[in-house]
Amino acid sequence: MLCDLKTSSRPVSLYRRGFLAAAGAATAALAAGPVLGQVAVGDASPLRSLVPAREIENAAVQQYGQLLAGARSKGALAPETHPQLVRLRTIAQRLIPHCAQWNDRARQWRWEVNLIGSKNINAFCMPGGKIAFFTGILDQLQLTDDEAAMVMGHEMAHALREHARSRIAKSQGTGIGLSVLSQVLGLGRLGDFAANVGTQLLTLKYSRSDETDADLVGLEIAARAAYNPEASVTLWQKMAKAGGGKGPGFLSTHPSGPDRIVQLQRNVPKVQGLYRQALARR
Ligand SMILES: [Zn+2]
């Protein structure tokens, strides 16, 4: 699926806007965040407003619940004490305080992190903050904590920037027309809608601009949580080695071509200051 809806190239800093709001809230973690070196990304797609965020999040909760139930029935859901799950949850705890500045709704999200036993190299964060990693991505790529944080930051960024919401608005829209879509939604047929989009959430393929957006926003979130920005580059080098654009799961939807790595290399220096300051606070 290609995205022809370009995000604004205006270097709007959502962070700066978010920072002012957060400064008012005086959350310790955010209040300490300096205004420097943040990545420049455009506004989130206006198309997403055609699909109610709450409906997408409800659909995600259902879909996530089904996925976990399926894994549990096969004995593939990691128990609470699994060391890799404990490690992932520790990473999430460090990243989450830096998320709401990208999307106000995230303050109310009930974040969840689970680990599923599977050889697939895969990880995702569904709308509303429902995260899952497959053991394959940790084991086959031998991810360090910094690299795992980059994967998680990237996936969180897809949710925070509501890429699924705009993808679904677009895919529904191409079938029935956007004005009709909003009428349908206004008429209260949201139950059908949730059932319909729920299954799409796990198979969505984002556009290249969504991917770049998630790379950069994720990079900044991870840097603010004191994860080494250089790990974004080594992560994608490992991905490239593991099969580039081929194979199932993450690699098929996340081509790790040279463009991606160059783009990250260019942005690493922009968040180094944030990383160093976050490190000094730890
Ligand atoms: Zn992605």
Side-chain angles (χ1 to χ4, degrees), residues 154-155 158 206 211 214 250 254 260:
H154 174 101
E155 292 304 316
H158 277 310
Y206 296 117
E211 287 303 324
F250 207 81
H254 291 80
R260 179 163 223 152

Side-chain angles (χ1 to χ4, degrees), residues 133-155:
F133 270 62
F134 289 13
T135 48
I137 196 167
L138 298 173
D139 298 342
Q140 294 191 47
L141 301 186
Q142 292 287 302
L143 295 183
T144 63
D145 283 0
D146 292 301
E147 289 162 350
M150 291 301 156
V151 173
M152 199 181 288
H154 174 101
E155 292 304 316

Side-chain angles (χ1 to χ4, degrees), residues 24-281:
T27 319
L30 295 179
V35 183
L36 55 87
Q38 70 267 22
V39 296
V41 290
D43 282 322
S45 164
L47 203 54
R48 77 196 197 291
S49 64
L50 289 167
V51 182
R54 185 174 300 165
E55 287 307 317
I56 294 270
E57 289 165 13
N58 287 346
V61 168
Q62 284 176 30
Q63 192 67 24
Y64 189 71
Q66 284 171 20
L67 185 87
L68 296 188
R72 193 179 292 116
S73 73
K74 290 181 195 145
L77 188 65
E80 304 281 308
T81 52
H82 192 294
Q84 292 280 40
L85 178 59
V86 172
R87 177 180 171 227
L88 289 172
R89 288 183 173 169
T90 305
I91 292 171
Q93 272 168 14
R94 273 170 61 178
L95 298 179
I96 288 167
H98 306 282
C99 284
Q101 63 201 59
W102 293 98
N103 185 334
D104 227 29
R105 292 187 64 81
R107 292 179 208 283
Q108 272 85 50
W109 285 359
R110 293 170 61 188
W111 294 90
E112 276 187 69
V113 183
N114 278 287
L115 177 66
I116 293 169
S118 163
K119 280 187 183 157
N120 281 353
I121 295 181
N122 214 346
F124 60 80
C125 175
M126 294 172 82
K130 306 298 185 194
I131 299 169
F133 270 62
F134 289 13
T135 48
I137 196 167
L138 298 173
D139 298 342
Q140 294 191 47
L141 301 186
Q142 292 287 302
L143 295 183
T144 63
D145 283 0
D146 292 301
E147 289 162 350
M150 291 301 156
V151 173
M152 199 181 288
H154 174 101
E155 292 304 316
M156 285 172 156
H158 277 310
L160 292 166
R161 302 282 282 165
E162 301 184 318
H163 292 155
R165 203 175 157 202
S166 45
R167 285 293 97 202
I168 287 167
K170 200 163 163 55
S171 69
Q172 302 277 316
T174 48
I176 56 176
L178 290 174
S179 60
V180 178
L181 172 71
S182 55
Q183 279 173 25
V184 167
L185 296 174
L187 288 172
R189 288 181 46 199
L190 295 173
D192 295 353
F193 175 78
N196 183 19
V197 300
T199 49
Q200 288 183 45
L201 288 172
L202 288 173
T203 52
L204 277 181
K205 198 170 173 198
Y206 296 117
S207 68
R208 283 179 74 137
S209 65
D210 286 348
E211 287 303 324
T212 302
D213 197 74
D215 277 349
L216 301 188
V217 170
L219 175 68
E220 179 163 333
I221 289 171
R224 286 179 185 280
Y227 288 107
N228 189 347
E230 302 280 359
S232 65
V233 174
T234 57
L235 165 69
W236 290 102
Q237 286 167 343
K238 284 183 176 180
M239 292 274 191
K241 239 184 189 172
K246 296 180 218 90
F250 207 81
L251 296 173
S252 65
T253 51
H254 291 80
S256 55
D259 291 357
R260 179 163 223 152
I261 291 171
V262 167
Q263 175 101 356
L264 281 164
Q265 280 168 333
R266 217 177 274 149
N267 278 275
V268 164
K270 295 186 189 171
V271 298
Q272 281 288 8
L274 295 175
Y275 167 57
R276 277 194 293 271
Q277 295 198 22
L279 260 191
R281 282 197 302 271

